[in-house]
Amino acid sequence: MSHSSSAASAAPTTLQLMELFAVASTAYFQEFTAAAAHHGLTPMQAKLLSQLRQPLPMRQLAERLVCDASNITGIVDRLEARGLVRREMNPDDRRIKNVVRTDAGTDVVRRVRAEMQATHQALEDLSAADRVLLTDLLQRLRASLDHRG
């Protein structure tokens, strides 16, 4: 029996995959939370900063972080006071404010991720082929989840 046919017959169920995904996600988030705290950030502040790869309106940030828009205002206020984000007028609609990550905010996100040694080690332990495969799978999952409902 070839490797691929035995792998196909032993394919994990969706629930088994979800459990593995949850375990990996939880471990990642626990390490992310600890590293964020080391930089004086709450988990939500760190998540917001990491979401700001480009300027986003507050409403879109609230949707991405699955929280009330009024909560986002307070989080952005605290990050802005630390110089990690700034508000700018949306060029397409001057009534909307975009939240923009500053260079200092980008640096904090980089430092938080750099401190996540267990995650770094787990990923570095993967072979080059496994890294390519994992990247492809995660990009496909991301695309599928980005287009949900």
Side-chain angles (χ1 to χ4, degrees):
M1 185 188 296
S2 76
H3 176 69
S4 60
S5 65
S6 66
S9 65
T13 66
T14 299
L15 287 177
Q16 289 169 326
L17 287 172
M18 289 177 74
E19 178 64 25
L20 288 169
F21 190 75
V23 169
S25 298
T26 298
Y28 175 91
F29 189 66
Q30 286 172 336
E31 190 173 31
F32 179 78
T33 298
H38 193 240
H39 291 279
L41 297 170
T42 66
M44 190 60 85
Q45 288 172 334
K47 279 177 68 174
L48 187 149
L49 274 177
S50 65
Q51 286 291 315
L52 281 175
R53 291 177 289 278
Q54 75 275 344
L56 291 173
M58 302 261 274
R59 181 179 308 279
Q60 195 171 349
L61 273 173
E63 289 170 6
R64 284 190 180 192
L65 297 172
V66 193
C67 76
D68 194 73
S70 62
N71 293 341
I72 293 295
T73 301
I75 295 166
V76 169
D77 286 347
R78 288 184 286 284
L79 291 172
E80 192 171 36
R82 289 185 55 185
L84 302 177
V85 300
R86 68 178 178 276
R87 290 176 170 93
E88 291 181 352
M89 291 291 181
N90 183 314
D92 300 325
D93 185 341
R94 298 189 61 76
R95 295 168 299 174
I96 297 174
K97 295 267 180 123
N98 283 339
V99 182
V100 180
R101 189 169 67 188
T102 63
D103 289 344
T106 299
D107 186 56
V108 166
V109 170
R110 184 193 56 74
R111 287 187 285 138
V112 165
R113 289 195 176 131
E115 286 183 23
M116 297 174 63
Q117 291 304 307
T119 302
H120 279 270
Q121 192 59 57
L123 294 171
E124 287 169 6
D125 288 346
L126 296 175
S127 69
D130 282 348
R131 284 169 164 250
V132 169
L133 178 59
L134 181 60
T135 299
D136 178 58
L137 294 171
L138 290 172
Q139 286 174 336
R140 287 165 44 199
L141 273 175
R142 179 184 187 177
S144 181
L145 291 169
D146 282 350
H147 292 101
R148 69 191 181 280

